[in-house]
Amino acid sequence: MKENLPQIWESTLTLIKAELTEVSFNTWIKTIEPISLQNNQIILGTPNDFIKDILNNRYITLISNALKQTTSKQFEIKIIVPTEDNMKSLEKSNRHNNRAPLESLSNLQLNPKYTFDTFVIGNSNRFAHAACVAVAESPAKAYNPLFIYGGVGLGKTHLMNAIGHYILQNNPSTKVAYVSSETFTNELINSIRDDRNVEFRNKYRHVDVLLIDDIQFIAGKESTQEEFFHTFNALHESSKQLIISSDRPPKDIPTLEDRLRTRFEWGLITDIQAPDFETRTAILRKKAQMENIDVPDEVMLYIAKKIQSNIRELEGALIRIVAYSSLTNSDVTVDLASEALKEIFSSKARQLNTSLIKEVISNKFSIKLEDLDSKKRTRAIAYPRQIAMYLTRELTDLSLPKIGEEFGGRDHTTVMHAHEKISNDIKNDPDLKERIEKIISDLKGN
């Protein structure tokens, strides 16, 4: 029955939809993603704790009854907010309870929502999008491998899924495998434990297109790197397409074997940056259109201005505002949006760290994130780096040596010099002072 979970959930949604208003269904139920079916338990994922609490308090009985009507079985329902930790725990539990054939273990399916049609193109992702379309149109002929890197929640997984969908739509017989590096590692461990190495290798070495997400997690795992090295070679030599994603370029992945690093650089390496204001606004409008949500333009602009880090937070904020409006029976306005998001903004202030500062600085000065850690000394890069060091010193509790480590392993005296220089420049340059104050305000979510 595990393989039928998507179909079971689609049938369940049809029953639930008949019981709710369109607004309630779109706001609360449509956001649910079925994750796992094990024995008599169904695990459902939801975007945030706010929606999770509403579902548990108001809709759990309705969901349970609809599932029972669909399957003629009574299931225990568990609703979670998917995180790396609880998904690892779930995979571990599945491996313990389910001795199914290797083919069905941790079988990650393509997300039906992640297609090229639903991807919003902007200056931050235009090249990456074009490269992915080229690969999807001509697998193993355009760029092989295709290596996509960028920060969390910027659209890497969306583009990888979109490639898979496009290929299957145009050639349904193509064998497409999408898997995270964590799942690849776990299945390798299981195959070694259960003496099923040949079955494991056959699974991954006889596909036409292999999409590996978050490859950075194989760093330091010697057996996994060894196995992936041979899998990569087998597929590449057979003219099969490989698409790989990471949070950083190959040269910056620590403890990655050189033979893998060089292979990742054989094809095309493309990055995705944080979206600019116009792209963030377009993303919100697309999300509202897809979810059939009516939100005024001024509220869209408010969200796009306030949330700059990544797309997941952006879309989560929109859902939170609509949910808040529904609960309070109020119109969606900028004031309501401010009230609904105040916890997110205060949380952002509490979580201020070097990574967030780097993201904002790279976005404000239109430079790549990795440039802040690089040895480049051109003013276009060195000056934003000094501002980032200054802000890290002013807004966090990190010591000078620790800040130096965070910026490409620089000496603490470099950090001292940067802080002193920017402090003096602020005193003598009113425009710079105003710009720094605006950046600090954005960082704190004010």
Side-chain angles (χ1 to χ4, degrees):
M1 187 178 288
K2 179 180 178 181
E3 290 75 18
N4 294 327
L5 180 56
Q7 293 94 319
I8 291 172
W9 184 243
E10 283 300 318
S11 300
T12 303
L13 284 180
T14 302
L15 295 175
I16 295 174
K17 191 171 185 178
E19 299 293 326
L20 297 175
T21 64
E22 185 177 356
V23 173
S24 294
F25 180 81
N26 288 338
T27 303
W28 309 115
I29 306 300
K30 201 172 180 181
T31 62
I32 299 173
E33 293 285 349
I35 292 176
S36 172
L37 191 163
Q38 288 293 329
N39 299 323
N40 293 317
Q41 183 185 66
I42 286 182
I43 297 179
L44 304 174
T46 193
N48 54 56
D49 288 320
F50 181 69
I51 293 179
K52 172 186 169 185
D53 292 341
I54 294 294
L55 291 172
N56 278 322
N57 291 330
R58 296 173 59 180
Y59 296 105
I60 196 72
T61 302
L62 175 61
I63 295 171
S64 178
N65 290 340
L67 276 167
K68 185 176 180 181
Q69 191 173 339
T70 299
T71 63
S72 300
K73 286 185 64 177
Q74 186 69 53
F75 288 100
E76 175 194 351
I77 299 171
K78 183 176 181 181
I79 300 174
I80 66 171
V81 179
T83 65
E84 186 176 328
D85 288 340
N86 63 30
M87 292 305 286
K88 284 182 181 176
S89 299
L90 179 60
E91 283 188 3
K92 182 177 180 181
S93 173
N94 288 348
R95 292 195 304 272
H96 177 74
N97 295 321
N98 184 11
R99 301 285 294 185
L102 184 64
E103 185 67 28
S104 66
L105 282 177
S106 306
N107 184 24
L108 297 182
Q109 298 179 347
L110 294 173
N111 189 321
K113 295 180 180 179
Y114 289 166
T115 66
F116 286 127
D117 289 338
T118 60
F119 189 82
V120 177
I121 306 167
N123 292 330
S124 59
N125 58 32
R126 194 178 307 278
F127 182 71
H129 173 267
C132 290
V133 171
V135 166
E137 290 177 341
S138 303
K141 295 177 182 177
Y143 309 107
N144 197 20
L146 174 63
F147 192 100
I148 312 166
Y149 73 92
V152 174
L154 296 183
K156 302 186 301 296
T157 300
H158 189 141
L159 283 175
M160 294 184 76
N161 276 260
I163 292 172
H165 283 303
Y166 188 95
I167 292 172
L168 289 172
Q169 182 180 350
N170 288 279
N171 189 354
S173 64
T174 306
K175 294 179 181 177
V176 176
Y178 168 78
V179 66
S180 70
S181 66
E182 285 289 312
T183 300
F184 185 88
T185 300
N186 290 332
E187 291 193 8
L188 173 60
I189 293 170
N190 291 339
S191 71
I192 294 171
R193 181 195 65 194
D194 300 335
D195 194 24
R196 294 189 291 178
N197 300 61
V198 174
E199 191 178 346
F200 173 84
R201 287 166 185 164
N202 287 339
K203 175 179 179 179
Y204 287 108
R205 297 184 191 182
H206 292 85
V207 298
D208 300 308
V209 180
L210 178 60
L211 303 111
I212 296 277
D213 214 350
D214 290 325
I215 198 66
Q216 72 271 10
F217 290 122
I218 73 170
K221 299 171 181 174
E222 294 180 6
S223 296
T224 304
Q225 292 191 49
E226 176 75 21
E227 185 61 38
F228 188 69
F229 171 77
H230 294 297
T231 299
F232 183 104
N233 284 346
L235 291 174
H236 199 274
E237 289 168 4
S238 302
S239 296
K240 307 301 183 183
Q241 179 70 51
L242 293 110
I243 301 105
I244 302 163
S245 82
S246 173
D247 64 352
R248 66 202 76 179
K251 62 184 178 62
D252 291 341
I253 301 177
T255 63
L256 181 68
E257 294 180 5
D258 286 339
R259 59 180 180 170
L260 276 177
R261 198 186 315 276
T262 55
R263 277 162 175 76
F264 292 166
E265 294 171 347
W266 277 355
L268 177 67
I269 299 175
T270 180
D271 68 319
I272 302 178
Q273 298 292 320
D276 56 23
F277 176 77
E278 291 78 13
T279 306
R280 294 197 299 273
T281 305
I283 289 168
L284 288 169
R285 287 177 176 152
K286 186 79 169 182
K287 178 71 173 178
Q289 178 187 350
M290 288 173 58
E291 302 294 341
N292 198 22
I293 299 171
D294 185 19
V295 178
D297 277 350
E298 59 267 24
V299 175
M300 299 275 200
L301 297 174
Y302 174 81
I303 301 171
K305 179 182 176 184
K306 287 291 185 180
I307 298 180
Q308 303 178 14
S309 53
N310 67 60
I311 297 166
R312 287 179 198 163
E313 287 191 13
L314 202 63
E315 294 181 341
L318 179 64
I319 295 297
R320 187 180 182 91
I321 289 168
V322 173
Y324 192 86
S325 167
S326 174
L327 282 174
T328 59
N329 197 26
S330 306
D331 292 335
V332 177
T333 64
V334 172
D335 288 340
L336 180 137
S338 177
E339 178 67 22
L341 300 180
K342 65 181 182 182
E343 289 185 17
I344 293 177
F345 295 148
S346 62
S347 173
K348 269 180 168 290
R350 290 194 296 271
Q351 296 173 6
L352 207 55
N353 54 36
T354 312
S355 296
L356 180 57
I357 291 170
K358 285 180 176 179
E359 278 190 19
V360 171
I361 291 296
S362 67
N363 189 37
K364 293 287 185 185
F365 288 88
S366 300
I367 61 175
K368 293 183 178 180
L369 199 59
E370 61 265 26
D371 285 339
L372 294 172
D373 295 340
S374 71
K375 303 301 181 184
K376 297 177 182 177
R377 296 184 179 182
T378 59
R379 178 172 172 79
I381 292 172
Y383 200 66
R385 183 191 295 133
Q386 289 176 327
I387 292 176
M389 289 180 179
Y390 167 84
L391 291 171
T392 305
R393 181 63 171 161
E394 289 289 316
L395 301 176
T396 73
D397 297 326
L398 296 181
S399 64
L400 292 172
K402 183 60 179 174
I403 294 173
E405 287 179 22
E406 294 284 334
F407 286 87
R410 286 176 162 77
D411 189 80
H412 73 282
T413 57
T414 304
V415 181
M416 289 176 62
H417 171 72
H419 186 270
E420 183 178 343
K421 175 174 174 52
I422 300 302
S423 297
N424 290 333
D425 288 353
I426 288 173
K427 293 176 185 176
N428 300 320
D429 186 345
D431 290 339
L432 177 65
K433 180 181 179 182
E434 184 179 348
R435 189 172 191 184
I436 296 292
E437 288 174 349
K438 177 66 170 62
I439 291 173
I440 292 174
S441 177
D442 289 342
L443 282 165
K444 291 183 176 180
N446 296 325

